[in-house]
Amino acid sequence: MSERKVAEIKNLIKNYGGKGFQTKVLKGIDLTIYETDFIAIMGPSGSGKTTLLNILSTIDKPSQGSVMLDGKEITGLNNKDLSRLRRDKIGFIFQDYNLLDTMTLQDNIALPLSLNGVSPKSCVERTNELAEMFGLAEELKKYPYQLSGGQKQRGATCRALITDPKIIFADEPTGALDSKSSKDLLECLRIVNENRQATIMMVTHDAFSASYAKDVYILSDGLIKCKISRGSERKEFYDRIIDVQTSMGR
């Protein structure tokens, strides 16, 4: 594990609703994410895992607490600075792909670079490199409606990676995929984490998906209840995740 911090939150609290009618979703979370980490956040519905991801990825703001991203406190940034931060430092992978139907897969993947003014030649070179890694080299000229769900999600992952962001946030990335497509995507995430030193935070309800991470944090009632770290074998890690979930009655 690298000692360079990519993200750090301290005493993170998030409430929803007005005064006197507030729902406390996060109740004082502390979490540090280092370069090359691959962490999974798990928890039952309503535990706060998606809220945690949304705050760390600048989609939402905390009620209280500190949120640092790449060494910068982000809670006080204006919309312009937040947009720049998302563009330069963050990659997103959503459950529903968010590919543009009017663009080819190649153009979808290259879009963040194009918006940043990168030359067409460099866009094509970097797109081809990632497409080869994710088994999409033969699909680049196709449109999203011509692709399977697994191909769409791997394309969305290439798009998230193409700017070499400081951190990738994945929100239930396998939620809409069949078992084979899920495994293919998770293997790709493992490879980019290990070979390209990508830093990944993934929210998932699925123990199989979580077992591809290096560390799993389990949330319950707005708090981190435990951390499980992977050993050498993914299957053994999966079994330990299941055991912890069972012991917690989940």
Side-chain angles (χ1 to χ4, degrees):
M1 181 184 72
S2 168
E3 291 302 314
R4 180 177 171 81
K5 297 177 183 178
V6 174
E8 184 177 26
I9 55 177
K10 294 181 179 179
N11 193 33
L12 189 69
I13 294 172
K14 181 62 179 180
N15 302 323
Y16 289 105
K19 186 175 182 181
F21 298 94
Q22 289 191 342
T23 299
K24 295 183 177 180
V25 179
L26 300 177
K27 302 176 182 178
I29 301 285
D30 295 315
L31 177 66
T32 302
I33 303 173
Y34 296 91
E35 276 188 344
T36 74
D37 275 356
F38 183 177
I39 74 169
I41 306 293
M42 299 189 72
S45 178
S47 62
K49 57 186 185 294
T50 297
T51 299
L52 177 60
L53 180 143
N54 287 344
I55 290 174
L56 264 170
S57 62
T58 76
I59 294 172
D60 200 356
K61 293 186 177 182
S63 300
Q64 296 179 47
S66 170
V67 183
M68 303 284 290
L69 193 60
D70 196 31
K72 179 180 292 187
E73 174 65 55
I74 66 173
T75 53
L77 295 181
N78 59 37
N79 288 336
K80 182 178 180 181
D81 289 337
L82 283 174
S83 295
R84 186 180 298 112
L85 185 72
R86 294 184 194 114
R87 183 193 68 194
D88 297 339
K89 306 292 185 181
I90 295 174
F92 293 98
I93 306 171
F94 300 100
Q95 182 175 329
D96 57 356
Y97 325 125
N98 283 12
L99 297 177
L100 299 177
D101 291 334
T102 57
M103 299 174 66
T104 64
L105 180 61
Q106 182 178 53
D107 289 341
N108 266 286
I109 293 171
L111 183 59
L113 294 182
S114 299
L115 294 175
N116 285 353
V118 176
S119 71
K121 181 181 178 182
S122 293
C123 287
V124 170
E125 289 175 351
R126 294 176 71 174
T127 298
N128 288 344
E129 177 190 357
L130 284 170
E132 187 71 33
M133 181 182 299
F134 280 74
L136 294 170
E138 304 300 318
E139 319 298 334
L140 286 174
K141 298 302 181 182
K142 294 182 180 179
Y143 289 85
Y145 72 88
Q146 298 173 303
L147 303 172
S148 69
Q151 290 169 335
K152 291 178 186 177
Q153 192 61 296
R154 281 181 278 138
T157 303
C158 291
R159 182 184 57 192
L161 285 163
I162 200 159
T163 59
D164 290 323
K166 286 292 182 180
I167 186 167
I168 295 167
F169 293 105
D171 188 5
E172 298 280 6
T174 62
L177 304 181
D178 60 39
S179 58
K180 182 182 183 305
S181 296
S182 295
K183 185 175 181 180
D184 289 344
L185 175 67
L186 292 163
E187 284 289 349
C188 288
L189 291 177
R190 181 188 62 78
I191 289 169
V192 297
N193 171 250
E194 294 180 358
N195 295 351
R196 293 176 65 98
Q197 287 76 56
T199 304
I200 304 170
M201 175 182 170
M202 174 174 66
V203 163
T204 181
H205 69 281
D206 176 42
F208 179 80
S209 297
S211 69
Y212 279 80
K214 294 175 180 176
D215 297 292
V216 173
Y217 293 84
I218 296 184
L219 267 64
S220 181
D221 299 322
L223 294 168
I224 294 177
K225 296 297 185 179
C226 68
K227 173 185 176 182
I228 316 167
S229 295
R230 182 175 175 174
S232 58
E233 296 294 329
R234 189 197 62 77
K235 177 61 168 63
E236 183 268 341
F237 191 31
Y238 168 79
D239 290 339
R240 283 196 287 130
I241 295 169
I242 293 293
D243 288 344
V244 170
Q245 287 184 305
T246 301
S247 69
M248 294 177 67
R250 304 299 180 185

